[in-house]
């Protein structure tokens, strides 16, 4: 028997006994023994109730401890990346990793560059995918016969892009006649530099037909799913140009691809067969090398030149693992990530966007966005947005990722369209223009931007961050209601008396 005891009801219980049995008791025992008898009755009843309660608690505790652990909610199944349906041409041939005509033009451009023996500038992006793309191209140019002295690299400043005037001036100062821009993203813009030159854009970020610098040629993987990385596209282009490209650049291709698509990627068609590469270099060494090459650009000092120098000098990933500059950079980044990664999210009014706001001079917002995308789950959640207010003065750098729970949605979540759709809801129709050209760039699955702080706050206002849904669900109201005691000593005695 389970009894809830209310000590406050004891005096009331005595009155019940006295009122209901008072006439009988008064005839049998003297009044001076009445209180003594009632107290003994009370103590005996409470003792029995406590004993029963303790036994019940032991039984409950025993049943809880021996119960089968509650099964964890299964993680949503995400289709393997290589199984993404491909696009086919009129003859039924798969268009991958980019349109054939674009690939052929890129190969001819490289051969022309080598034959011309003119100054050549490589402009790679700062991450593992961009840097390995540049390293693959540089090794290929040398294998084909272009003198190393004619090849130079331009690495962008922190928070900059190739369209900034200071970057265009810096590139022009090298007086290149051939320019390769790799993994920098694409947008409609003036020529790469003002001086006469020939430019080839090798990229995989989302772009439409005219989203490229004026006068340039391009090869892009963005319309050929499963979208290849820039390093894989570069490797595919160069592999046919010289027999030694595979043996000298295959590990760079894997590094760059894992850097963008993750190290769980399955190298199955349409991706090339890399079994020989993984026999030569361990996956651990390749993946550790990715984190090391990515580290310098994430530090507050933005030491991308150190990563480029180490990568172009290395003959294997094992050589990178011993580089003290890269190891120190990774340690610094890991410390900063740990400091900021526990920031609590706030949700948009419709619960579709989770916003994390941090302040760091390090470029850790993409890392934190990726981490939370693998853990945060909700039926409505579509986008993880991490905003870093301390990376560059006067602006907010933010990165967006699709949470794992939303990656199999139909239709698929398109972050670029989500961001543009939010901006379109602004009360002030000029917001989209004021957010600038660096807003909602990148990939449909991984986008972000660099926007002025005032405009970013205006953007946040549209999301109604932290606004709670009106009203409260009946289940939640019932759960939050204070529990009421149903069985007390008072009604226990009442029931016994009635019996």
């Amino acid at each position: 028997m389970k009894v809830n005891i209310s000590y406050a009801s004891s005096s009331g219980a005595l009155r019940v006994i006295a009122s209901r049995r008072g006439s009988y008791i008064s005839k049998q025992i003297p009044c001076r023994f009445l209180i003594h008898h009632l107290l003994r009755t009370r103590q005996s009843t409470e003792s029995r109730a406590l004993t029963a309660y303790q036994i019940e608690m032991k039984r409950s505790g025993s049943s809880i401890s021996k119960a089968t652990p509650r099964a964890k909610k299964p993680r949503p199944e995400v289709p393997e990346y290589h199984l993404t349906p491909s696009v086919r041409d009129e003859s039924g041939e798969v268009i991958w990793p980019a349109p054939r005509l674009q690939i052929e033009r890129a190969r001819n451009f490289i051969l022309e560059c080598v034959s011309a023996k003119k100054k050549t500038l490589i402009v790679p992006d700062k991450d593992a995918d961009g840097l390995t793309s540049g390293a693959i191209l540089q090794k290929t140019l040398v294998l084909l016969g272009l003198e190393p002295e004619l090849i130079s690299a331009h690495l962008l400043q922190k928070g900059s892009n190739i369209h900034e005037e200071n970057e265009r001036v810096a590139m022009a100062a090298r007086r290149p006649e051939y320019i390769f821009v790799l993994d920098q993203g694409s947008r409609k813009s003036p020529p790469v530099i003002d001086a006469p030159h020939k430019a080839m854009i090798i990229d995989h970020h989302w772009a439409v037909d005219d989203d490229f610098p004026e006068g340039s040629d391009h090869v892009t993987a963005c319309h050929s799913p499963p979208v290849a990385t820039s390093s894989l596209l570069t490797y595919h282009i160069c592999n046919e140009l010289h027999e030694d490209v595979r043996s000298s650049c295959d590990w760079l291709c894997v590094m760059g691809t894992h850097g963008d698509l993750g190290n769980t990627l399955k190298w199955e068609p349409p991706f090339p067969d890399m079994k020989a590469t993984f026999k030569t270099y361990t996956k651990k060494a390749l993946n550790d090398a990715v984190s090391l090459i990515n580290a310098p650009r994430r530090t507050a000092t933005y030491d991308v030149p150190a990563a480029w120098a180490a990568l172009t000098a290395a003959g294997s990933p094992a050589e990178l693992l011993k580089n003290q500059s890269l190891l120190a950079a990774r340690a610094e980044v890991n410390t900063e990530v740990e400091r900021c990664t526990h920031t609590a999210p706030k949700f948009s009014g419709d619960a579709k966007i989770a916003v994390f706001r941090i302040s760091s001079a390090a470029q850790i917002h993409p890392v934190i966005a990726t981490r939370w995308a693998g853990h945060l789950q909700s039926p409505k959640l579509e986008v993880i947005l991490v905003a870093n207010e301390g990376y560059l003065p006067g602006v907010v750098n933010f990165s967006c990722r699709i949470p794992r729970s939303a990656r199999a949605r139909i239709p698929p979540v398109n972050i670029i369209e989500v961001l543009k759709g939010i901006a379109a809801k602004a009360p002030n129709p000029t917001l989209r223009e004021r957010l600038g050209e660096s807003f909602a760039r990148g990939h449909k699955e991984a986008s972000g931007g660099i926007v002025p702080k005032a405009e970013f706050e205006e953007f946040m206002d549209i999301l109604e961050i932290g606004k709670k849904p009106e009203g409260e669900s009946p289940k939640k109201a019932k759960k939050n209601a204070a529990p009421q005691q149903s069985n007390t000593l008072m009604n226990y005695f009442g029931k016994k008396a009635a019996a």
Side-chain angles (χ1 to χ4, degrees), residues 11-12 46 105 145 172 207 219 231 234 335 375 411 464 488:
S11 58
E46 290 178 352
R105 289 204 308 268
V219 53
S231 54
T234 306
T335 299
H375 296 286
E464 298 182 323
T488 66

Side-chain angles (χ1 to χ4, degrees), residues 358-434:
I358 64 172
S359 180
S360 174
Q363 193 193 42
I364 58 172
H365 36 286
V367 178
I368 295 176
T370 301
R371 281 193 176 189
W372 276 105
H375 296 286
L376 200 59
Q377 297 187 40
S378 168
K380 295 183 178 180
L381 189 62
E382 292 183 352
V383 176
I384 304 291
L385 188 156
V386 179
N388 188 350
E389 300 174 52
Y391 186 64
L392 292 172
V395 297
V396 176
N397 292 65
F398 69 96
S399 292
C400 298
R401 299 291 185 270
I402 299 175
R404 181 182 177 87
S405 59
R407 290 176 195 167
R409 300 267 174 88
I410 299 177
V413 176
N414 183 329
I415 297 178
I416 293 176
E417 294 303 321
V418 169
L419 295 175
K420 290 181 178 179
I422 295 169
K425 297 178 182 177
N428 188 333
T430 67
L431 176 62
R432 176 63 189 89
E433 182 180 352
R434 288 184 285 117

Side-chain angles (χ1 to χ4, degrees), residues 357 394-396 431 434-435 451-461:
R357 303 191 71 158
V395 297
V396 176
L431 176 62
R434 288 184 285 117
L435 286 169
V451 300
K453 286 188 175 181
E455 279 69 23
F456 183 78
E457 296 302 335
E458 197 173 334
F459 184 79
M460 288 290 101
D461 289 341

